[in-house]
DNA sequence: CTGTGATGCCAACGGGCGTTGGCCATCACT
DNA sequence: AGTGATGGCCAACGCCCGTTGGCATCACAG
């Protein structure tokens, strides 16, 4: 049950392979056997280290959006900064992989959906600040736009969205986010 | 190989059960056996009538967005009309179910992703009209927002979005869609 | 009334899955 | 040098999957 340097290394190898497979195939189609093969070890080791496929998944999905604090920003720039930050997360190798895992899985797995719900509800709503009126609604609208782009660009790979470079996309999305954060709602 | 009235009836029963299961569980977790059980017939009949699980899926997913022609609308109302139309599709029992199937599956299945890509690329882009500058990009931006809401409201069930009634949501989304359709892009 | 084809069920197949238990190698520590 | 724990693999289990072939049954055309 103890952990040596050697075991920690293969644990990490397994986790990296799991993230890649989960991100690429989704929870159901990613098999323990394939993950183990990618990691170059035996499937039984995966179970030994993580207890079960679900345990492995839980370990593979651990995400912190690290949203910036809007208090320190010019009020009319918050939308732009948020849009850029979200896209940056998805563009980044490691956190992008985790987010892909989460999105792919949340769509067919209630547990992952619940995790996604709390992540966006708490982290985004908190970032907007507790003082804001209609905070949860605004956070959800922001989430709908940012998850929508993520879905279309990184999962469905809609060509026109894939073709845009990040800064152009930021410029197109920023006003939307800005409006959801600040403008009066219906 | 011929078709009688009786067989057409069970074919339809199977298809309805398949749509329900696919919509609820996604492609991988919806089993032919479960669909057959829901339809009250033998799993082998499903294969007999639709050839394979994939064939059944293809038959279950046949969607026409029926997008309105913006030519006959006041230019400053197009965003609102589109937003309402999309939400209406998702709120509708039958087409909503089909769209849920498509979204749930497209996230982990390349074939369904391709279908979704063509649907949104062609149908939305065509609705915007061929004359519009940056048509595909605008269509993709609209898709990103509308699929994002669909994801958050109908699949992930983010509470603040579920709580909003349709017309409020339309009012919140309309300016976004309007801007993606008409305003100058970055 | 008879026979022929479609309709449906049953049982089974081969294969892949997650998971388990047992066995060998290795390495740290006395 | 000996010994025990730990790392790793192998083989197998039980389960559920999609799919197939064969047999009963029913409807209806002659």
């Amino acid at each position: 049950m103890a952990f040596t340097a050697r075991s920690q290394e293969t644990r990490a190898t397994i986790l990296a392979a799991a993230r890649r497979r989960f991100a690429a195939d989704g929870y159901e189609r990613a098999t323990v056997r394939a993950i183990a093969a990618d990691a170059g070890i035996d499937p039984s080791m995966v179970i030994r280290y993580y207890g079960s496929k679900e345990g492995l998944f839980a370990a593979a999905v651990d995400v912190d959006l690290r949203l910036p604090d809007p208090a320190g920003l010019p009020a009319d720039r918050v939308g732009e900064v948020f849009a850029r930050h979200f896209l940056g997360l998805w563009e980044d190798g490691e956190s992008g992989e985790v987010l892909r895992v989460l999105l792919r899985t949340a769509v067919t797995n209630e547990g992952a959906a619940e995790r996604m719900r709390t992540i966006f509800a708490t982290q985004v709503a908190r970032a907007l600040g507790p003082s804001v009126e209609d905070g949860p609604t605004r956070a959800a609208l922001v989430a709908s736009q940012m998850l929508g782009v993520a879905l279309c660009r990184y999962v469905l790979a809609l060509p026109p969205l894939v073709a845009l470079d990040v800064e152009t996309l930021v410029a197109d999305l920023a006003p939307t986010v800005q409006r959801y954060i600040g403008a009066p709602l219906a």
Side-chain angles (χ1 to χ4, degrees), chain A:
Chain A
M1 258 325 194
F3 39 87
T4 71
R6 184 166 178 72
S7 86
Q8 284 304 82
E9 193 178 321
T10 69
R11 280 180 74 96
T13 308
I14 293 173
L15 206 61
R19 268 200 265 262
R20 253 179 287 124
R21 279 282 175 180
F22 281 139
D25 300 338
Y27 182 79
E28 339 281 346
R29 311 202 340 171
T31 69
V32 171
R33 288 168 137 96
I35 292 167
D38 288 358
I41 50 109
D42 192 85
S44 63
M45 296 306 296
V46 174
I47 303 296
R48 271 253 254 269
Y49 282 135
Y50 291 97
S52 67
K53 185 183 181 180
E54 268 206 41
L56 175 62
F57 176 76
V61 176
D62 196 8
V63 65
D64 179 3
L65 300 182
R66 293 188 300 277
L67 292 171
D69 181 2
L73 299 168
D76 62 344
R77 284 298 197 92
V78 176
E80 177 193 336
V81 170
F82 267 50
R84 184 176 292 112
H85 182 79
F86 272 111
L87 285 178
L89 287 176
W90 283 86
E91 292 284 332
D92 175 66
E94 189 175 325
S95 66
E97 213 155 52
V98 174
L99 287 170
R100 235 160 295 206
V101 175
L102 207 51
L103 178 52
R104 277 227 154 93
T105 310
V107 163
T108 44
N109 182 293
E110 179 48 31
E114 173 60 25
R115 193 177 283 239
M116 187 133 236
R117 245 171 276 149
T118 57
I119 285 174
F120 277 82
T122 65
Q123 296 196 29
V124 179
R126 174 158 36 80
L128 294 189
S131 59
V132 180
E133 195 189 3
D134 290 323
T137 302
R138 293 175 184 280
L141 285 169
V142 171
S144 83
Q145 175 61 93
M146 294 318 296
L147 283 178
V149 208
L151 174 71
C152 293
R153 181 176 164 103
Y154 302 105
V155 176
L156 298 182
L158 274 176
L161 275 189
V162 175
L164 294 179
D165 66 297
V166 176
E167 277 304 315
T168 306
L169 199 45
V170 168
D172 288 335
L173 297 173
T176 297
V177 179
Q178 182 74 34
R179 200 169 57 78
Y180 291 156
I181 291 176
L185 294 178

